[in-house]
Amino acid sequence: MATMGSLFRSEEMALCQLFLQSESAYTCVSELGELGLVQFRDLNPDVNAFQRKFVNEVRRCDEMERKLRYLEREIRKDGIPVLDTGENPEAPMPREMIDLEVKFEKLENELKEVNSNAEALKRNYLELTELKHILKKTQVFFDEREGSLESGGQTSLTQNLLPEDSKGPIQLGFVAGVILRERIPAFERMLWRACRGNVFLRQAEIPEPLEDPATGEQVYKSVFIIFFQGDHLKMRVKKICEGFRATMYPCPEAPADRREMAMGVKTRLDDLNTVLSQTQDHRHRVLVSAARDIRAWMMKVWKIKSIYHTLNMFNLDVIQNGLIAECWIPVANLEDVQLALRRGTEKSGSLPAILNRLSTQESPPTFHRTNKFTKAFQTLIDSYGVANYREINPAPYTIITFPFLFAIMFGDLGHGIIMALFGAWMVWREKPLSAKKTDNEIWNIFFGGRYIILLMGVFSMYTGLIYNDIFSKAFNLFGSSWHPVFNDSALMSKELALDPANKAQYDQYPYPFGLDPMWQISNNKINFYNSYKMKISIIFGVIHMLFGVILSVWNHRFFNRPMSIYCEFIPQLLFLCCLFLYLVLLVFHKWTWYGAGGDPSVSPSCAPSILITFINMVLVKPYEEAGPVCSYYMFAGQFGLQRFLFIVALICVPWMLCAKPFLLHRMHKQRTIMMQANGGEGVVEEGGGDAAAAAAAAVATAEEHDMGEVMIHQGIHTIEYVLGSVSHTASYLRLWALSLAHAQLSEVLWQMVLRIGLTTSGLAGGFLTYAIFAVWAFLTVAILVLMEGLSAFLHTLRLHWVEFQSKFYGGTGYAFVPFAFETILDQAENAGPEQ
């Protein structure tokens, strides 16, 4: 019962004062966090966060969380899955924090040491690998040089490096190293310019990528060897190599030394491979062991941290050596909170906690109990504004009205089936889909509103049956009541006008359910749909607004505001009924009274225009007789009734504007007279009446100031309601406009896309239909379901926020945000490991 009651009106809340012993404060707050029904108030709002009592404990928790985040990043880097058993461990006791800190410190140091050793080994392995490629590639360069010298004569290797008067070959110096492949062109140009062409560069690419030990990325490098003459060029070449971050290695010139070094490098690489493999295995074992428990560790740390954050909001009772807290608690759960406090004190073995209920003038927070079905609708309402405390909640009524108004604009059986299937799939796969955490905001919005989508699809299927519209086509389930004559000229011109007065065409009885399918192929269907959908938009709009006005009386009665009932609710209801409910009744009267056949005075050709009738009603303008048969009046005494209703509506305006300020002024005046009488007697007894007169004058001045504010507020409220009644009624015409637009877009998509394939004959038509159907299906889902659905959703949301809720809903409250581990853990998990 409490759940249903809080759905229609927020829970009754109690402000309580909580006395806790220092020994049991931690365990009691932990139990309250598991319960999730207590909102604590910060009793130290002016105290800096770094000056609060438990700031050191919070810092310790931050440090533990940092270490766990480091472990989690390393685990994810190795692609090790984090085990989620669904376990929800209890918050550890304060003495267990030391054990956790030691464990995390040990894991972090061990992992950092392993990573440091692995990085050093990888750097050594990279250097040896580069040296191996240098020895291999430079052997080719030296073979070319030696071959050139043996052939006698000057070679291209040395001819540019020798002076013109050189008598024979000379000894050249060289530098060998490794550089990133993309830096080779710039490196070569710099060498040529800086050394003025007096160096010779040879380079060869290393085919396989090498791993950077610092970043773990794969990079491509090239081996180079530079020949030069003289120490001056040697220094210049080395400076250029350092500038391009090239790594230089010693390379013997003698072939035997190079072969010996290559064998030594190969042996060391084999040894490093073994050590690296063992290091990686050890690191993997450490991370796999941590991955089994890291989720539980995270949850424990988050709970500890949240408990100390909450304890920092308490006041310290120095005399009793305890803590004092103030909190909001739902009255229906006071006993549950008492039981949680008892469990907390039993765990700590201290004196029981004391919970006292306080009296306050402060407005309590608003708390609506929701489940997975009602939560999405409550979120729509709270997005506009959180309800005032104990104010009537629009959410339960929105469960029906929201998908229904959406379906009026989106009415199509085919599109409704697509939307309902999508919503049903998300509801059916609810548990596995909710278990998959994702940062995709669009998907999270869709999944959070899965029940709204399901209902919108189901209601759209219903209105699609009423409109007899499925992908712009109609079903002839019960047999049409129309029997038009299809002659050649009508078929060629594609003109088929349906006339209810033509008894040869119409059987004079309606289609059993929804609209007759013959209207889909008629030439005047737009005129018919236009009139029908415009009228039902006004009908449902007025009913929706009237329902909102009627809901306001429940607020007035609950908060004991009889003056608002007599001075606001009654004139508002009369104003809306005398004008717009009368307009709705005229629509029904015209539908039922004016029909085809029978008395010619009530034939469709004699039916008066409701719009002209309503305008003349506001202008208080009598009709002239239309002729001997037709009449502009729908019934006898219509002019007198309309004049009476309009006068009543006019009276309601000053009623709303002046009645409440007048009664308040009268009440204040009586109160002032009573205060003057009581104050005068007291002052006379003390020997003077001037003070009483001054006090009475001050009270009167204050009341006049308050009355001015009341008049301004009431004037704004009256103008807003009177003008809003007109504009809001017109606003509901968006139901008509979007419904027509949706139907026309669907028909255009059928005629301009799918019909091309269906009307093409032969084998080519089959292939063309296959391809065009894919295009038509994509455009149907993308445009008519997604884009049009989003448009209809936003318009429906506006009708509820502005046209409906403005009649009774304040929406200026603040939400009840309890201290709950479940919420804290969800927020921490959604924050991601990068924080």
Side-chain angles (χ1 to χ4, degrees):
M1 293 298 294
T3 302
M4 289 301 297
S6 65
L7 183 62
F8 289 93
R9 199 181 294 277
S10 63
E11 288 273 342
E12 184 180 356
M13 307 296 292
L15 179 62
C16 298
Q17 191 175 47
L18 182 60
F19 293 89
L20 299 171
Q21 295 295 317
S22 298
E23 298 81 7
S24 64
Y26 181 93
T27 54
C28 288
V29 172
S30 175
E31 290 294 329
L32 293 177
E34 297 289 352
L35 185 63
L37 288 171
V38 178
Q39 177 179 331
F40 291 99
R41 302 174 65 185
D42 190 358
L43 301 182
N44 308 298
D46 300 325
V47 179
N48 190 285
F50 300 102
Q51 297 175 346
R52 302 202 178 196
K53 179 177 176 58
F54 300 98
V55 63
N56 291 328
E57 286 77 1
V58 173
R59 286 175 176 171
R60 290 167 61 189
C61 293
D62 288 335
E63 182 65 16
M64 287 192 292
E65 186 176 3
R66 182 195 63 78
K67 294 173 182 176
L68 290 175
R69 292 291 189 191
Y70 170 71
L71 287 174
E72 187 178 13
R73 284 195 299 271
E74 295 298 317
I75 290 170
R76 295 183 184 278
K77 187 187 295 184
D78 276 23
I80 301 172
V82 177
L83 185 62
D84 185 5
T85 60
E87 179 187 3
N88 186 13
E90 292 185 356
M93 299 296 288
R95 57 181 174 270
E96 298 178 32
M97 280 184 64
I98 300 176
D99 298 334
L100 291 175
E101 287 175 315
V102 172
K103 184 183 295 184
F104 300 158
E105 182 74 20
K106 180 182 177 182
L107 276 174
E108 184 188 31
N109 291 337
E110 183 179 5
L111 190 57
K112 283 185 175 180
E113 183 179 359
V114 170
N115 287 343
S116 178
N117 294 337
E119 185 177 347
L121 291 171
K122 287 180 179 179
R123 187 175 291 108
N124 196 0
Y125 184 83
L126 175 65
E127 292 173 355
L128 291 174
T129 304
E130 291 177 347
L131 182 56
K132 180 187 75 171
H133 285 288
I134 286 175
L135 294 173
K136 180 180 178 181
K137 299 294 183 182
T138 53
Q139 182 64 39
V140 179
F141 302 152
F142 281 108
D143 289 344
E144 292 178 357
R145 177 174 178 269
E146 291 171 358
S148 301
L149 292 175
E150 291 174 359
S151 63
Q154 207 73 338
T155 68
S156 60
L157 179 65
T158 58
Q159 62 184 359
N160 291 332
L161 304 179
L162 296 179
E164 294 179 358
D165 57 351
S166 177
K167 300 292 183 177
I170 62 172
Q171 187 68 28
L172 297 176
F174 66 90
V175 171
V178 174
I179 190 173
L180 289 175
R181 189 177 297 178
E182 61 266 19
R183 295 179 182 174
I184 284 288
F187 180 62
E188 189 171 2
R189 286 194 301 269
M190 180 59 70
L191 282 171
W192 179 264
R193 292 172 182 173
C195 300
R196 299 180 181 180
N198 293 321
V199 297
F200 186 79
L201 171 68
R202 293 296 305 273
Q203 60 91 13
E205 296 179 352
I206 300 175
E208 67 273 7
L210 304 177
E211 181 183 353
D212 189 337
T215 62
E217 297 179 354
Q218 301 291 323
V219 294
Y220 288 90
K221 294 188 176 182
S222 295
V223 173
F224 67 87
I225 183 169
I226 306 171
F227 294 94
F228 51 82
Q229 181 185 7
D231 293 337
H232 181 71
L233 282 178
K234 179 180 180 180
M235 292 178 57
R236 188 172 296 181
V237 167
K238 286 187 175 180
K239 288 288 186 182
I240 294 173
C241 291
E242 293 173 359
F244 279 86
R245 296 182 181 179
T247 308
M248 293 175 287
Y249 292 94
C251 181
E253 187 171 357
D257 295 339
R258 287 198 296 272
R259 284 193 294 270
E260 182 180 355
M261 180 178 283
M263 293 176 62
V265 167
K266 183 178 182 303
T267 303
R268 292 174 63 188
L269 281 173
D270 293 339
D271 295 339
L272 273 177
N273 266 326
T274 304
V275 177
L276 266 174
S277 177
Q278 294 174 352
T279 304
Q280 290 295 337
D281 289 342
H282 176 62
R283 181 178 186 273
H284 188 76
R285 287 194 300 270
V286 172
L287 293 177
V288 168
S289 176
R292 288 196 296 264
D293 302 318
I294 191 169
R295 179 176 172 81
W297 291 339
M298 277 287 194
M299 296 175 74
K300 289 180 179 180
V301 172
W302 288 334
K303 287 186 177 183
I304 298 171
K305 184 178 177 181
S306 63
I307 290 172
Y308 283 117
H309 266 304
T310 304
L311 290 175
N312 276 332
M313 302 168 69
F314 295 2
N315 272 342
L316 183 63
D317 187 358
V318 182
I319 300 177
Q320 301 293 333
N321 189 26
L323 296 172
I324 303 173
E326 290 184 4
C327 53
W328 292 105
I329 304 174
V331 173
N333 297 106
L334 284 173
E335 186 176 350
D336 297 330
V337 173
Q338 291 279 16
L339 292 175
L341 293 173
R342 191 177 305 165
R343 290 194 299 268
T345 53
E346 289 174 355
K347 285 183 179 181
S348 62
S350 64
L351 296 175
I354 301 174
L355 186 67
N356 295 327
R357 187 169 177 177
L358 303 177
S359 60
T360 178
Q361 297 296 323
E362 182 181 350
S363 178
T366 300
F367 176 44
H368 295 290
R369 296 183 195 268
T370 58
N371 52 36
K372 61 184 180 181
F373 176 73
T374 59
K375 182 179 180 181
F377 293 95
Q378 189 65 55
T379 302
L380 289 180
I381 302 301
D382 292 342
S383 299
Y384 173 80
V386 179
N388 298 336
Y389 177 64
R390 303 290 286 163
E391 183 181 29
I392 197 164
N393 183 22
Y397 314 106
T398 304
I399 294 174
I400 300 299
T401 60
F402 191 92
F404 181 69
L405 292 183
F406 171 88
I408 294 176
M409 294 180 276
F410 196 76
D412 187 290
L413 180 60
H415 302 155
I417 289 175
I418 295 174
M419 184 173 290
L421 287 176
F422 177 59
W425 174 77
M426 289 191 291
V427 172
W428 178 53
R429 301 281 297 169
E430 185 176 277
K431 289 185 178 180
L433 290 175
S434 60
K436 295 179 181 178
K437 303 294 182 181
T438 177
D439 296 332
N440 192 319
E441 187 176 355
I442 296 177
W443 166 253
N444 290 333
I445 292 174
F446 277 124
F447 184 71
R450 56 193 178 278
Y451 288 99
I452 299 179
I453 294 174
L454 175 61
L455 286 182
M456 290 193 303
V458 172
F459 276 70
S460 297
M461 292 166 60
Y462 168 75
T463 53
L465 289 173
I466 293 294
Y467 296 156
N468 204 344
D469 194 355
I470 173 170
F471 299 122
S472 78
K473 297 302 174 183
F475 279 141
N476 190 2
L477 298 177
F478 306 103
S480 176
S481 300
W482 294 88
H483 307 286
V485 178
F486 292 95
N487 52 41
D488 294 338
S489 60
L491 290 174
M492 292 299 294
S493 62
K494 298 182 181 180
E495 291 186 1
L496 175 63
L498 299 182
D499 183 9
N502 189 342
K503 294 184 179 181
Q505 284 188 342
Y506 187 46
D507 291 342
Q508 304 300 318
Y509 62 85
Y511 197 67
F513 183 82
L515 298 179
D516 197 293
M518 194 61 68
W519 284 108
Q520 277 288 351
I521 62 174
S522 66
N523 186 52
N524 57 337
K525 72 172 184 178
I526 294 297
N527 295 333
F528 173 73
Y529 284 166
N530 186 59
S531 174
Y532 169 71
K533 292 184 177 181
M534 180 171 60
K535 289 181 173 63
I536 64 170
S537 299
I538 295 297
I539 292 170
F540 287 121
V542 173
I543 293 174
H544 200 211
M545 290 191 295
L546 274 174
F547 181 57
V549 174
I550 292 172
L551 287 178
S552 67
V553 76
W554 270 271
N555 277 335
H556 299 325
R557 292 182 62 185
F558 182 84
F559 293 111
N560 193 22
R561 299 190 298 233
M563 186 182 300
S564 296
I565 295 177
Y566 297 116
C567 300
E568 292 181 354
F569 166 71
I570 293 178
Q572 287 177 358
L573 188 65
L574 286 175
F575 182 84
L576 203 60
C577 291
C578 290
L579 294 180
F580 300 103
L581 182 60
Y582 174 71
L583 177 65
V584 170
L585 294 177
L586 287 180
V587 172
F588 281 105
H589 179 79
K590 185 175 180 180
W591 277 347
T592 56
W593 191 254
Y594 290 87
D599 189 354
S601 63
V602 292
S603 63
S605 60
C606 287
S609 169
I610 295 179
L611 179 61
I612 300 300
T613 301
F614 190 73
I615 292 174
N616 287 333
M617 172 185 173
V618 175
L619 297 177
V620 198
K621 179 182 177 181
Y623 299 117
E624 297 178 358
E625 288 298 327
V629 177
C630 298
S631 174
Y632 286 131
Y633 291 105
M634 297 184 181
F635 53 88
Q638 181 181 359
F639 178 72
L641 177 62
Q642 291 182 170
R643 178 179 292 181
F644 170 75
L645 293 176
F646 182 66
I647 292 173
V648 172
L650 286 179
I651 293 174
C652 290
V653 176
W655 188 353
M656 288 185 283
L657 179 64
C658 302
K660 189 173 183 178
F662 172 76
L663 293 177
L664 289 175
H665 177 68
R666 185 176 178 181
M667 292 171 59
H668 292 159
K669 189 174 182 180
Q670 293 175 353
R671 190 182 309 166
T672 304
I673 294 173
M674 293 176 63
M675 291 180 63
Q676 287 177 344
N678 295 334
E681 291 175 0
V683 173
V684 169
E685 291 177 359
E686 295 176 1
D690 294 338
V699 171
T701 303
E703 298 295 349
E704 289 177 3
H705 177 71
D706 293 340
M707 287 307 301
E709 292 184 354
V710 170
M711 283 295 300
I712 294 174
H713 177 270
Q714 197 67 20
I716 294 174
H717 184 74
T718 302
I719 294 172
E720 180 184 11
Y721 181 82
V722 172
L723 297 182
S725 298
V726 180
S727 63
H728 292 174
T729 304
S731 181
Y732 279 94
L733 291 174
R734 69 184 70 233
L735 300 174
W736 155 57
L738 266 74
S739 177
L740 283 180
H742 186 80
Q744 289 302 304
L745 280 174
S746 180
E747 184 174 357
V748 167
L749 200 59
W750 183 286
Q751 296 291 337
M752 303 296 292
V753 180
L754 190 59
R755 188 172 178 272
I756 298 175
L758 296 177
T759 55
T760 304
S761 59
L763 184 62
F767 288 105
L768 186 62
T769 302
Y770 182 82
I772 286 183
F773 178 80
V775 176
W776 174 82
F778 172 77
L779 294 177
T780 296
V781 174
I783 297 177
L784 295 179
V785 176
L786 288 178
M787 294 180 61
E788 281 284 301
L790 178 61
S791 175
F793 178 88
L794 294 176
H795 283 284
T796 308
L797 195 61
R798 182 244 152 77
L799 290 177
H800 280 79
W801 279 359
V802 179
E803 279 72 21
F804 175 59
Q805 291 177 196
S806 64
K807 303 296 186 294
F808 66 96
Y809 187 66
T812 57
Y814 64 101
F816 175 65
V817 184
F819 171 64
F821 285 148
E822 183 180 0
T823 305
I824 293 170
L825 295 180
D826 287 341
Q827 292 175 350
E829 287 180 352
N830 292 332
E834 62 274 1
Q835 287 194 354

